[in-house]
Amino acid sequence: MNLWWYVAKRLLLMIPTLFGVLLLTFVVIQFVPGGPVEQYMAEAKAGLGTGAEGGLAYRGSQGVDPKRLEEIQALYGFDKPAHERFWQMLVQFAQFDLGTSFFQNKAVGDLILEKLPVSISLGLWTFLISYLVAVPLGVAKAVRAGSRFDFVTTLLVLLGYAIPGFVLGVALLVIFGGQLQWFPLRGLTSSNWEELSWAARIVDYLWHIALPVTAMVMGSFAVTSMLTKNAFLEEIRKQYVLTARAKGLSERQVLYKHVFRNALIPIVTGFPAAFVGAFFAGSLLIETLFSLDGLGLLGFESVIRRDYPVVLGTLYFFTLIGLVTKLISDLCYVWVDPRVKFD
Protein backbone atom coordinates (compact mmCIF):
# COMPACT_ATOMS: atom_id res chain seq x y z
CA MET A 1 0.00 0.00 0.00
CA ASN A 2 1.31 3.43 -0.93
CA LEU A 3 2.57 5.54 1.96
CA TRP A 4 0.57 8.62 1.01
CA TRP A 5 -2.62 6.61 0.53
CA TYR A 6 -2.17 5.09 3.98
CA VAL A 7 -1.61 8.52 5.56
CA ALA A 8 -4.63 9.98 3.72
CA LYS A 9 -6.83 7.12 4.92
CA ARG A 10 -5.70 7.57 8.51
CA LEU A 11 -6.29 11.33 8.34
CA LEU A 12 -9.83 10.73 7.05
CA LEU A 13 -10.49 8.29 9.89
CA MET A 14 -9.58 11.05 12.36
CA ILE A 15 -12.73 12.97 11.38
CA PRO A 16 -15.30 10.47 12.74
CA THR A 17 -13.10 9.87 15.79
CA LEU A 18 -13.00 13.58 16.62
CA PHE A 19 -16.72 13.85 15.95
CA GLY A 20 -17.49 10.96 18.30
CA VAL A 21 -15.32 12.32 21.13
CA LEU A 22 -16.81 15.82 20.86
CA LEU A 23 -20.37 14.52 20.55
CA LEU A 24 -20.05 12.31 23.61
CA THR A 25 -18.53 15.10 25.68
CA PHE A 26 -21.11 17.63 24.48
CA VAL A 27 -24.00 15.31 25.39
CA VAL A 28 -22.55 14.66 28.86
CA ILE A 29 -22.15 18.41 29.41
CA GLN A 30 -25.87 18.96 28.73
CA PHE A 31 -26.75 16.90 31.81
CA VAL A 32 -24.13 18.37 34.14
CA PRO A 33 -25.63 21.04 36.44
CA GLY A 34 -23.91 24.22 37.51
CA GLY A 35 -23.28 25.97 34.19
CA PRO A 36 -22.88 29.76 33.83
CA VAL A 37 -26.66 30.32 33.58
CA GLU A 38 -27.31 28.21 36.69
CA GLN A 39 -24.55 30.06 38.52
CA TYR A 40 -26.16 33.40 37.66
CA MET A 41 -29.54 32.16 38.89
CA ALA A 42 -28.02 30.87 42.14
CA GLU A 43 -26.25 34.21 42.75
CA ALA A 44 -29.42 36.16 42.00
CA LYS A 45 -31.53 34.03 44.35
CA ALA A 46 -28.90 34.39 47.08
CA GLY A 47 -28.80 38.16 46.61
CA LEU A 48 -25.22 38.31 45.33
CA GLY A 49 -24.13 40.93 42.85
CA THR A 50 -21.15 42.98 41.77
CA GLY A 51 -19.87 45.34 44.43
CA ALA A 52 -18.41 48.82 44.02
CA GLU A 53 -14.84 47.49 43.79
CA GLY A 54 -15.70 44.43 41.74
CA GLY A 55 -16.24 40.97 43.13
CA LEU A 56 -19.37 39.76 44.87
CA ALA A 57 -21.42 41.81 47.34
CA TYR A 58 -24.64 40.90 49.16
CA ARG A 59 -27.63 42.93 48.00
CA GLY A 60 -30.49 40.98 49.49
CA SER A 61 -32.52 38.29 47.82
CA GLN A 62 -33.97 39.85 44.67
CA GLY A 63 -34.96 36.78 42.62
CA VAL A 64 -34.17 36.23 38.96
CA ASP A 65 -34.97 38.95 36.44
CA PRO A 66 -36.45 37.13 33.40
CA LYS A 67 -35.11 39.74 30.99
CA ARG A 68 -31.64 39.56 32.50
CA LEU A 69 -31.82 35.76 32.39
CA GLU A 70 -32.56 35.89 28.66
CA GLU A 71 -29.58 38.19 28.16
CA ILE A 72 -27.32 35.78 30.05
CA GLN A 73 -28.58 32.84 27.99
CA ALA A 74 -27.98 34.75 24.75
CA LEU A 75 -24.53 35.83 25.94
CA TYR A 76 -23.40 32.24 26.44
CA GLY A 77 -25.31 30.90 23.44
CA PHE A 78 -27.83 28.90 25.47
CA ASP A 79 -30.76 30.59 23.76
CA LYS A 80 -30.28 28.16 20.85
CA PRO A 81 -31.18 24.46 20.74
CA ALA A 82 -28.44 21.98 21.63
CA HIS A 83 -28.06 20.64 18.09
CA GLU A 84 -27.52 24.16 16.71
CA ARG A 85 -24.89 24.90 19.34
CA PHE A 86 -23.13 21.62 18.57
CA TRP A 87 -23.12 22.30 14.83
CA GLN A 88 -21.82 25.84 15.39
CA MET A 89 -19.04 24.42 17.57
CA LEU A 90 -18.06 21.90 14.87
CA VAL A 91 -17.88 24.65 12.24
CA GLN A 92 -15.66 26.75 14.53
CA PHE A 93 -13.40 23.81 15.38
CA ALA A 94 -13.02 22.95 11.68
CA GLN A 95 -11.59 26.47 11.28
CA PHE A 96 -9.43 25.95 14.42
CA ASP A 97 -11.49 28.57 16.25
CA LEU A 98 -11.81 27.12 19.76
CA GLY A 99 -14.16 29.82 21.02
CA THR A 100 -13.92 32.21 23.96
CA SER A 101 -13.74 31.39 27.66
CA PHE A 102 -16.91 32.19 29.60
CA PHE A 103 -15.12 33.43 32.70
CA GLN A 104 -11.71 34.65 31.53
CA ASN A 105 -13.03 36.47 28.44
CA LYS A 106 -10.08 35.23 26.37
CA ALA A 107 -9.86 33.08 23.27
CA VAL A 108 -9.36 29.43 24.21
CA GLY A 109 -6.50 29.18 21.72
CA ASP A 110 -4.72 32.08 23.42
CA LEU A 111 -5.22 30.44 26.83
CA ILE A 112 -3.69 27.20 25.55
CA LEU A 113 -0.70 29.08 24.14
CA GLU A 114 -0.26 30.90 27.47
CA LYS A 115 -0.22 27.67 29.48
CA LEU A 116 1.75 25.60 26.96
CA PRO A 117 5.29 26.69 28.06
CA VAL A 118 4.77 25.23 31.53
CA SER A 119 3.56 21.90 30.16
CA ILE A 120 6.41 21.88 27.63
CA SER A 121 8.92 22.43 30.45
CA LEU A 122 7.57 19.54 32.48
CA GLY A 123 7.02 17.22 29.53
CA LEU A 124 10.31 17.81 27.73
CA TRP A 125 12.49 17.27 30.78
CA THR A 126 10.44 14.26 31.88
CA PHE A 127 10.74 12.65 28.45
CA LEU A 128 14.46 13.32 28.03
CA ILE A 129 15.51 12.21 31.50
CA SER A 130 13.30 9.12 31.37
CA TYR A 131 14.73 7.82 28.11
CA LEU A 132 18.32 8.98 28.58
CA VAL A 133 18.51 7.12 31.89
CA ALA A 134 16.06 4.23 31.47
CA VAL A 135 17.28 2.93 28.08
CA PRO A 136 20.99 2.59 29.08
CA LEU A 137 19.82 1.16 32.41
CA GLY A 138 17.72 -1.44 30.60
CA VAL A 139 20.67 -2.41 28.39
CA ALA A 140 22.92 -2.76 31.43
CA LYS A 141 20.29 -4.89 33.17
CA ALA A 142 19.97 -7.17 30.12
CA VAL A 143 23.74 -7.68 29.87
CA ARG A 144 23.92 -8.40 33.62
CA ALA A 145 20.64 -10.33 33.84
CA GLY A 146 20.36 -12.28 37.10
CA SER A 147 23.21 -10.41 38.80
CA ARG A 148 23.05 -8.41 42.01
CA PHE A 149 23.04 -5.21 39.92
CA ASP A 150 19.96 -6.43 38.04
CA PHE A 151 18.17 -7.34 41.27
CA VAL A 152 18.94 -4.08 43.08
CA THR A 153 18.05 -1.81 40.14
CA THR A 154 14.82 -3.74 39.52
CA LEU A 155 13.87 -3.28 43.16
CA LEU A 156 14.59 0.46 43.01
CA VAL A 157 12.74 1.16 39.74
CA LEU A 158 9.71 -0.87 40.85
CA LEU A 159 9.71 0.99 44.16
CA GLY A 160 9.71 4.28 42.27
CA TYR A 161 6.91 3.01 40.03
CA ALA A 162 4.82 1.97 43.04
CA ILE A 163 4.95 5.43 44.63
CA PRO A 164 2.39 7.78 43.00
CA GLY A 165 3.92 10.95 41.58
CA PHE A 166 1.67 13.14 43.73
CA VAL A 167 2.71 11.37 46.95
CA LEU A 168 6.36 11.64 45.97
CA GLY A 169 5.84 15.31 45.15
CA VAL A 170 4.39 15.96 48.60
CA ALA A 171 7.35 14.20 50.22
CA LEU A 172 9.83 16.19 48.14
CA LEU A 173 8.09 19.44 49.02
CA VAL A 174 7.99 18.68 52.74
CA ILE A 175 11.60 17.49 52.97
CA PHE A 176 13.54 19.55 50.41
CA GLY A 177 11.22 22.55 50.11
CA GLY A 178 9.98 22.87 53.69
CA GLN A 179 12.40 21.37 56.19
CA LEU A 180 15.71 21.75 54.35
CA GLN A 181 14.56 24.70 52.19
CA TRP A 182 16.87 23.69 49.37
CA PHE A 183 14.27 24.22 46.64
CA PRO A 184 11.37 26.65 46.14
CA LEU A 185 7.85 25.56 47.02
CA ARG A 186 6.01 26.94 44.00
CA GLY A 187 6.27 28.52 40.56
CA LEU A 188 8.49 27.99 37.56
CA THR A 189 10.70 31.04 38.14
CA SER A 190 11.46 33.53 40.92
CA SER A 191 9.63 36.86 41.22
CA ASN A 192 12.78 38.77 40.19
CA TRP A 193 13.48 36.55 37.18
CA GLU A 194 13.31 39.47 34.71
CA GLU A 195 16.09 41.24 36.59
CA LEU A 196 18.49 38.29 36.47
CA SER A 197 21.25 37.68 33.93
CA TRP A 198 20.86 34.88 31.38
CA ALA A 199 23.10 32.53 33.35
CA ALA A 200 21.22 33.29 36.56
CA ARG A 201 17.89 32.75 34.77
CA ILE A 202 18.95 29.29 33.64
CA VAL A 203 20.05 28.35 37.15
CA ASP A 204 16.85 29.77 38.63
CA TYR A 205 14.69 27.86 36.13
CA LEU A 206 16.47 24.56 36.79
CA TRP A 207 16.24 25.22 40.53
CA HIS A 208 12.45 25.56 40.30
CA ILE A 209 11.88 22.66 37.88
CA ALA A 210 13.96 20.08 39.80
CA LEU A 211 11.33 18.86 42.27
CA PRO A 212 8.29 18.62 39.94
CA VAL A 213 10.31 16.85 37.22
CA THR A 214 11.70 14.40 39.79
CA ALA A 215 8.16 13.64 40.97
CA MET A 216 6.98 13.03 37.39
CA VAL A 217 9.95 11.06 36.10
CA MET A 218 10.27 8.39 38.78
CA GLY A 219 7.25 6.40 37.66
CA SER A 220 8.32 6.25 34.01
CA PHE A 221 11.70 4.66 34.74
CA ALA A 222 10.25 1.23 35.48
CA VAL A 223 8.24 0.77 32.28
CA THR A 224 10.96 1.97 29.91
CA SER A 225 13.87 0.21 31.61
CA MET A 226 12.05 -3.12 31.96
CA LEU A 227 10.81 -2.93 28.36
CA THR A 228 14.36 -2.28 27.18
CA LYS A 229 15.74 -5.13 29.27
CA ASN A 230 13.18 -7.67 28.03
CA ALA A 231 13.61 -6.59 24.39
CA PHE A 232 17.39 -6.98 24.61
CA LEU A 233 17.13 -10.35 26.36
CA GLU A 234 14.82 -11.62 23.64
CA GLU A 235 17.20 -10.55 20.89
CA ILE A 236 20.35 -11.80 22.65
CA ARG A 237 18.96 -15.36 22.65
CA LYS A 238 18.33 -15.42 18.88
CA GLN A 239 20.37 -17.36 16.34
CA TYR A 240 21.91 -14.37 14.55
CA VAL A 241 23.61 -13.30 17.79
CA LEU A 242 25.24 -16.71 18.15
CA THR A 243 26.35 -16.48 14.53
CA ALA A 244 27.85 -13.01 15.07
CA ARG A 245 29.75 -14.27 18.12
CA ALA A 246 30.97 -17.29 16.19
CA LYS A 247 32.47 -14.96 13.58
CA GLY A 248 34.71 -13.52 16.28
CA LEU A 249 32.95 -10.20 16.85
CA SER A 250 33.46 -8.60 20.23
CA GLU A 251 30.60 -8.44 22.71
CA ARG A 252 30.32 -4.68 22.21
CA GLN A 253 30.09 -5.10 18.42
CA VAL A 254 27.43 -7.79 18.80
CA LEU A 255 25.46 -5.72 21.25
CA TYR A 256 25.47 -2.34 19.54
CA LYS A 257 25.83 -3.33 15.87
CA HIS A 258 23.37 -6.23 15.70
CA VAL A 259 21.19 -6.39 18.82
CA PHE A 260 20.68 -2.69 19.46
CA ARG A 261 18.67 -1.88 16.30
CA ASN A 262 16.28 -4.83 16.61
CA ALA A 263 15.79 -4.47 20.37
CA LEU A 264 14.92 -0.80 20.13
CA ILE A 265 12.00 -1.35 17.73
CA PRO A 266 9.28 -1.43 20.45
CA ILE A 267 10.95 1.48 22.25
CA VAL A 268 11.55 3.79 19.29
CA THR A 269 8.05 3.26 17.93
CA GLY A 270 6.69 4.36 21.27
CA PHE A 271 8.67 7.62 21.22
CA PRO A 272 5.90 9.83 19.76
CA ALA A 273 3.25 8.63 22.19
CA ALA A 274 5.62 8.87 25.16
CA PHE A 275 6.76 12.33 24.06
CA VAL A 276 3.22 13.75 23.88
CA GLY A 277 2.09 11.80 26.92
CA ALA A 278 4.83 13.43 28.98
CA PHE A 279 3.36 16.83 28.08
CA PHE A 280 -0.32 16.22 28.73
CA ALA A 281 -0.70 13.12 30.87
CA GLY A 282 -0.21 12.92 34.59
CA SER A 283 0.84 16.54 35.07
CA LEU A 284 -2.43 17.82 36.61
CA LEU A 285 -1.65 16.84 40.19
CA ILE A 286 1.98 17.93 39.86
CA GLU A 287 0.98 21.32 38.43
CA THR A 288 -1.55 21.79 41.23
CA LEU A 289 0.88 20.71 43.94
CA PHE A 290 3.73 22.96 42.78
CA SER A 291 1.44 25.86 41.69
CA LEU A 292 2.49 25.58 38.03
CA ASP A 293 -0.02 27.26 35.73
CA GLY A 294 -0.03 24.76 32.86
CA LEU A 295 -2.52 22.96 30.62
CA GLY A 296 -3.40 20.36 33.24
CA LEU A 297 -4.41 23.00 35.75
CA LEU A 298 -6.29 24.93 33.05
CA GLY A 299 -8.35 21.87 32.13
CA PHE A 300 -9.11 21.05 35.76
CA GLU A 301 -10.23 24.58 36.61
CA SER A 302 -12.39 24.79 33.48
CA VAL A 303 -14.22 21.61 34.50
CA ILE A 304 -14.77 22.87 38.04
CA ARG A 305 -16.05 26.28 36.83
CA ARG A 306 -18.10 24.73 33.99
CA ASP A 307 -16.19 26.79 31.43
CA TYR A 308 -17.51 24.73 28.54
CA PRO A 309 -15.57 26.38 25.66
CA VAL A 310 -12.29 25.71 27.47
CA VAL A 311 -13.32 22.12 28.30
CA LEU A 312 -14.30 21.32 24.71
CA GLY A 313 -11.47 23.35 23.16
CA THR A 314 -8.73 21.68 25.19
CA LEU A 315 -10.35 18.28 24.60
CA TYR A 316 -10.33 18.91 20.85
CA PHE A 317 -6.70 20.02 21.02
CA PHE A 318 -5.57 17.00 23.06
CA THR A 319 -7.55 14.52 20.95
CA LEU A 320 -6.19 15.91 17.69
CA ILE A 321 -2.62 15.73 18.99
CA GLY A 322 -3.21 12.19 20.24
CA LEU A 323 -4.52 11.00 16.86
CA VAL A 324 -1.64 12.58 14.96
CA THR A 325 0.81 11.07 17.45
CA LYS A 326 -0.70 7.61 16.94
CA LEU A 327 -0.25 8.01 13.19
CA ILE A 328 3.40 9.03 13.63
CA SER A 329 3.92 6.08 15.96
CA ASP A 330 2.59 3.65 13.33
CA LEU A 331 4.79 5.21 10.65
CA CYS A 332 7.80 4.68 12.91
CA TYR A 333 7.32 0.92 12.64
CA VAL A 334 8.15 1.05 8.93
CA TRP A 335 11.02 3.46 9.49
CA VAL A 336 12.61 1.24 12.14
CA ASP A 337 11.71 -2.15 10.65
CA PRO A 338 11.48 -2.25 6.82
CA ARG A 339 9.87 -5.69 7.05
CA VAL A 340 6.62 -4.09 8.20
CA LYS A 341 4.27 -3.25 5.33
CA PHE A 342 1.30 -0.90 5.33
CA ASP A 343 -0.98 -3.55 3.90
Side-chain angles (χ1 to χ4, degrees):
M1 183 182 297
N2 184 270
L3 169 63
W4 297 111
W5 169 248
Y6 176 80
V7 173
K9 186 179 71 171
R10 290 292 301 272
L11 291 176
L12 290 175
L13 288 174
M14 291 181 186
I15 298 176
T17 305
L18 280 170
F19 177 82
V21 170
L22 292 174
L23 176 61
L24 180 62
T25 307
F26 186 85
V27 170
V28 170
I29 282 177
Q30 305 309 305
F31 298 97
V32 176
V37 177
E38 288 84 354
Q39 292 182 26
Y40 165 75
M41 293 176 63
E43 292 176 1
K45 289 179 180 179
L48 295 175
T50 304
E53 299 179 356
L56 293 178
Y58 182 73
R59 296 183 174 180
S61 181
Q62 299 177 359
V64 179
D65 184 1
K67 185 177 180 180
R68 178 59 178 165
L69 180 59
E70 292 179 0
E71 293 177 354
I72 294 294
Q73 290 176 335
L75 176 64
Y76 295 122
F78 290 100
D79 58 332
K80 301 176 182 178
H83 66 278
E84 290 187 13
R85 287 186 277 118
F86 181 69
W87 174 252
Q88 182 180 0
M89 182 191 70
L90 291 180
V91 173
Q92 289 179 339
F93 282 5
Q95 302 171 358
F96 294 97
D97 178 9
L98 303 184
T100 304
S101 170
F102 285 161
F103 298 99
Q104 302 190 48
N105 197 28
K106 288 184 179 180
V108 177
D110 293 340
L111 286 174
I112 293 177
L113 292 177
E114 287 180 9
K115 314 299 182 182
L116 198 56
V118 174
S119 297
I120 288 178
S121 294
L122 290 176
L124 188 60
W125 285 112
T126 301
F127 174 80
L128 289 177
I129 295 176
S130 297
Y131 272 86
L132 290 178
V133 174
V135 171
L137 178 62
V139 175
K141 287 170 62 63
V143 174
R144 301 172 177 84
S147 65
R148 180 178 298 179
F149 171 82
D150 183 29
F151 175 76
V152 173
T153 53
T154 299
L155 183 64
L156 291 177
V157 296
L158 291 180
L159 179 63
Y161 182 74
I163 302 175
F166 183 76
V167 175
L168 179 61
V170 172
L172 292 175
L173 270 180
V174 171
I175 297 174
F176 296 102
Q179 296 179 353
L180 300 177
Q181 297 183 358
W182 289 355
F183 295 93
L185 297 176
R186 56 183 299 163
L188 200 61
T189 56
S190 300
S191 57
N192 63 335
W193 191 78
E194 295 291 342
E195 303 172 1
L196 301 176
S197 63
W198 282 107
R201 288 183 181 183
I202 294 175
V203 173
D204 181 75
Y205 166 75
L206 296 176
W207 184 46
H208 280 77
I209 205 71
L211 293 186
V213 168
T214 301
M216 289 185 63
V217 82
M218 290 300 295
S220 60
F221 277 153
V223 176
T224 307
S225 62
M226 297 306 293
L227 178 63
T228 305
K229 173 190 172 183
N230 294 333
F232 267 78
L233 284 177
E234 182 180 355
E235 293 296 324
I236 287 174
R237 299 189 181 105
K238 290 186 176 179
Q239 185 65 37
Y240 74 89
V241 176
L242 297 177
T243 304
R245 287 172 175 167
K247 290 181 178 180
L249 296 180
S250 66
E251 193 66 23
R252 179 177 295 272
Q253 288 177 317
V254 172
L255 185 63
Y256 290 101
K257 186 176 180 180
H258 295 275
V259 176
F260 195 75
R261 178 181 175 86
N262 295 326
L264 283 185
I265 289 176
I267 302 171
V268 172
T269 52
F271 270 9
F275 184 72
V276 176
F279 283 78
F280 305 117
S283 61
L284 168 59
L285 295 177
I286 299 300
E287 289 180 8
T288 305
L289 178 63
F290 290 92
S291 300
L292 302 174
D293 194 10
L295 288 175
L297 190 59
L298 173 66
F300 174 75
E301 291 178 346
S302 63
V303 171
I304 296 299
R305 301 179 67 181
R306 306 295 193 270
D307 199 344
Y308 299 143
V310 178
V311 173
L312 291 167
T314 52
L315 177 68
Y316 173 76
F317 178 70
F318 292 158
T319 305
L320 186 60
I321 289 180
L323 292 173
V324 173
T325 301
K326 180 60 179 175
L327 173 59
I328 297 175
S329 180
D330 291 342
L331 293 177
C332 284
Y333 279 101
V334 179
W335 173 63
V336 175
D337 189 357
R339 296 171 296 178
V340 178
K341 304 298 180 182
F342 289 114
D343 53 355

